Amino acid sequence: MIRGTRGYVAPEWFKNAPVSAKVDVYSFGVMLLEIICCRRSVEMEVEEEGRAILTDWAYDCYAEGRLDVLVDSDEPAMADRSRLQKWLMIAMWCIREDPSIRPTMKVVLQMLEGLLEVPNPPCPSSFSIAVTGS
């Protein structure tokens, strides 16, 4: 049985794959995107269909360099564009489909605190060296 809130449930729950602490990392990434974008993870009543699923839409905006669209051109958010981009990159790492590529929560915290550099997240279909740490 799958337990969790729609939009926060990690993909491995649906693939009959082993579940680990990385499901919480995925959920944290979704929550971080909600904070960044000031919207829910799933919005069925949006004007553009491509915006319904926050994780997909956020990745598309990130890949296109359209941070302004993610924050609806919010001036305070855009004034600190480097922090916005850093948080978005961390969220992108957290919502990787493959749990082995997601960082641990310890690494996420270290990236948020500035103790670790945040590498560019890979595109969803690429196979890159993971940021996993312990």
Side-chain angles (χ1 to χ4, degrees), residues 37-78:
C37 302
C38 295
R39 60 160 280 191
R40 293 183 174 155
S41 62
V42 178
E43 288 192 355
M44 301 313 288
E45 298 173 14
V46 292
E47 295 172 14
E48 297 176 42
E49 186 177 317
R51 289 183 169 210
I53 308 298
L54 178 59
T55 53
D56 296 341
W57 175 64
Y59 182 81
D60 291 343
C61 290
Y62 170 77
E64 295 167 6
R66 299 295 319 264
L67 303 186
D68 58 319
V69 175
L70 283 174
V71 296
D72 199 23
S73 298
D74 180 72
E75 287 184 35
M78 292 307 294

Side-chain angles (χ1 to χ4, degrees), residues 9-21:
V9 178
E12 51 268 35
W13 281 107
F14 302 105
K15 295 180 179 179
N16 203 20
V19 174
S20 69

Side-chain angles (χ1 to χ4, degrees), residues 92-121:
M92 293 296 111
W93 275 109
C94 291
I95 63 167
R96 304 311 318 155
E97 188 166 327
D98 180 352
S100 69
I101 296 175
R102 289 180 214 141
T104 62
M105 279 308 298
K106 179 179 179 179
V107 170
V108 170
L109 183 60
Q110 290 173 332
M111 289 189 291
L112 286 168
E113 291 176 336
L115 300 174
L116 287 178
E117 192 72 27
V118 183
N120 286 322

